[in-house]
Amino acid sequence: MHSNRRIAHLDMDAFFASVELLHYPELRGQPVVVGGRRVDQPRLRPDGSREFARLRDYAGRGVVTTSTYEARALGVFSAMGLMKAAQLAPEAILLPANFDAYRDCSRRFKAAVATIAPHIEDRGIDEIYIDLSELPQDSLSLARQIKQAVFDATGLSCSIGITPNKLLAKIASDLDKPDGITLLGPDDVATRIWPLPARKINGIGPKATEKLGQLGIASIGQLAAAPLELLVRHFGQRSGAWLHRVAHGRDERPVVVEQEPKSISRESTFERDLHPRLDRAELSEIFTGLCRRVADDLQRKGYTSRTIGIKLRFSDFHAVTRDLTLPAPTADAAAIRRAAGECLKRIPLEQRIRLLGVRAGGLVPLKTSGLGSEDIQPELPLFR
DNA sequence: TCTGGGGTCCTAGGACCC
DNA sequence: TCTGGGGTCCTAGGACCC
């Protein structure tokens, strides 16, 4: 087992907002928010300048996807409702999300990193882990080289943390944002990690933070000092032991280069909550559309699915799921619609519906390569 | 002024099999 | 008639992440 690893975490700085600033450089230095649905694209005035939507003009159910550092300074952060954000920063510029541009930029920055350090784990559109263990250069040179390559490929800055494992690298990349480099060794855990709030650990969310707070544990250092048996008593054997481990900066998870997806889903929150009977036609159309999009996604990505599921969110925001495992995997829109319909029958509809979702799990890759017949599994036992 | 959309992983009970 | 474990699959919900 390789015990002297060098793991980097790279995080693009305010990614979506930064991509937008490449297109609209005149917005640099201003509070800018990306998010919402049906937000107007900037309009060109007769004099050639652009007119942008303001946060105060927004009405609807959208949330902040990303905000520039200037907007964050006003208290506007990711996942905040736009109506609330508008209270805090009414004059901030509001731009609609342009996912095609972000995906394109994402591909370019990852390809640029791969030319220097190919051992990459994808963690979504704007961040990656990189295993640098086998590379000869020192960490600071590598970090600078990678940042330069990312900038050359995209015009964007990122922040990098390099440490002995993924857990610490993820925390480190956030310590000197934006455009930062943070290198940490095992000896830095007590001085650099322990003073931080427990919430900074990837995997400790709002619920765990609240529960830890009730035990008088706020910082990672306090978590490290807590007796293992106290943590096990309140969080269970597995989670308790995990909390104890991560508080001491221990993490042996490998950098995983290739991963098959586990599920593919589509969901939609409506402009207004829909009534199960009065809005039946509209709901049915949306439902069928979601099934078709899931089928399209499956076919485009080359998968079939064994388990079809649905999700409903009601007016009171409470969500319910149902799923159904099929006798044989499918990527067919009509078959998915039938299975989803069976799931829907099992949900009592006593409230207006806010969101509808369709999910395909139990994914089976469609093998396109010419594999021998020995790889084809019989669907059912031959005798029963 | 209520809170998006795409995911992963974990838990836990029941069915079913050996 | 009652008593066992162990293992896997299915289903529902929830925490968490980007």
Side-chain angles (χ1 to χ4, degrees):
Chain A
M1 181 60 85
H2 205 289
S3 60
N4 276 330
R5 298 190 299 160
R6 270 195 306 170
I7 309 297
H9 181 259
L10 182 158
D11 198 313
M12 298 299 289
D13 298 323
F15 185 50
F16 295 179
S18 301
V19 175
E20 295 300 337
L21 292 183
L22 292 175
H23 293 121
Y24 307 119
E26 67 265 43
L27 295 180
R28 247 169 232 292
Q30 293 192 55
V32 176
V33 168
V34 177
R37 291 170 304 167
R38 302 177 10 168
V39 174
D40 288 341
Q41 292 288 343
R43 279 198 297 271
L44 213 52
R45 295 197 191 90
D47 69 356
S49 68
R50 294 190 188 92
E51 186 177 350
F52 296 94
R54 300 275 168 173
L55 212 40
R56 67 167 133 75
D57 299 324
Y58 182 82
R61 295 185 147 169
V63 298
V64 175
T65 304
T66 327
S67 49
T68 58
Y69 292 93
E70 290 81 2
R72 295 180 198 189
L74 299 172
V76 174
F77 298 97
S78 297
M80 177 182 284
L82 282 175
M83 299 299 276
K84 178 173 177 180
Q87 304 279 110
L88 297 168
E91 301 305 316
I93 304 291
L94 176 59
L95 294 172
N98 180 1
F99 283 97
D100 289 339
Y102 311 150
R103 267 190 290 271
D104 179 61
C105 228
S106 177
R107 273 192 290 272
R108 293 210 309 275
F109 99 73
K110 287 168 187 173
V113 174
T115 64
I116 297 161
H119 202 94
I120 294 172
E121 175 175 332
D122 226 300
R123 294 306 302 188
I125 199 162
D126 71 337
E127 59 183 80
I128 52 176
Y129 290 104
I130 318 163
D131 193 333
L132 306 173
S133 306
E134 304 299 326
L135 298 177
Q137 303 98 310
D138 68 275
S139 295
L140 185 58
S141 310
L142 276 170
R144 287 179 176 151
Q145 203 185 334
I146 289 169
K147 278 165 61 69
Q148 187 63 47
V150 168
F151 183 82
D152 291 344
T154 63
L156 300 176
S157 72
C158 62
S159 299
I160 298 184
I162 302 181
T163 79
N165 61 47
K166 294 206 288 189
L167 168 81
L168 294 173
K170 169 80 177 168
I171 297 173
S173 69
D174 193 49
L175 287 178
D176 189 28
K177 246 185 178 309
D179 203 14
I181 296 176
T182 302
L183 312 182
L184 297 182
D187 295 344
D188 298 315
V189 170
T191 55
R192 304 291 303 279
I193 302 296
W194 281 358
L196 302 172
R199 186 73 173 82
K200 290 283 180 185
I201 288 172
N202 198 247
I204 298 184
K207 301 285 180 179
T209 301
E210 169 65 23
K211 210 165 149 182
L212 287 169
Q214 285 170 5
L215 298 173
I217 297 169
S219 70
I220 300 176
Q222 288 170 326
L223 184 58
L228 173 59
E229 62 102 85
L230 173 92
L231 297 176
V232 167
R233 188 160 65 239
H234 287 91
F235 292 89
Q237 181 57 243
R238 192 184 166 93
S239 298
W242 176 79
L243 286 169
H244 193 259
R245 265 200 319 277
V246 296
H248 286 88
R250 293 194 279 265
D251 174 25
E252 295 298 326
R253 291 171 302 163
V255 169
V256 178
V257 176
E258 293 197 40
Q259 252 187 138
E260 290 275 310
K262 302 277 194 293
S263 68
I264 288 172
S265 68
R266 291 286 181 163
E267 65 182 51
S268 176
T269 297
F270 315 135
E271 295 292 333
R272 61 176 183 93
D273 295 353
L274 297 180
H275 190 283
R277 287 195 319 278
L278 302 179
D279 298 311
R280 191 170 191 280
E282 195 174 348
L283 278 166
S284 175
E285 191 175 328
I286 292 165
F287 196 39
T288 302
L290 290 168
C291 291
R292 191 179 41 70
R293 291 169 73 191
V294 168
D296 287 348
D297 292 345
L298 284 169
Q299 289 164 25
R300 192 161 34 80
K301 296 177 180 176
Y303 289 94
T304 55
S305 162
R306 283 244 300 136
T307 304
I308 301 302
I310 67 170
K311 175 162 96 176
L312 267 68
R313 194 186 290 286
F314 294 102
S315 291
D316 67 0
F317 210 69
H318 148 255
V320 172
T321 64
R322 292 290 182 272
D323 58 47
L324 178 64
T325 297
L326 304 170
T330 185
D332 176 66
I336 291 170
R337 179 62 181 81
R338 278 194 297 276
E342 289 303 313
C343 292
L344 187 58
K345 286 182 191 165
R346 309 209 303 261
I347 302 181
L349 302 174
E350 290 156 355
Q351 259 189 84
R352 284 181 180 262
I353 299 165
R354 176 188 177 91
L355 169 150
L356 202 49
V358 175
R359 196 180 75 96
L363 299 187
V364 182
L366 276 177
K367 299 211 173 81
T368 51
S369 60
L371 291 169
S373 59
E374 69 274 10
D375 292 309
I376 298 170
Q377 300 296 321
E379 190 177 297
L380 290 169
L382 295 178
F383 303 101
R384 40 185 333 201

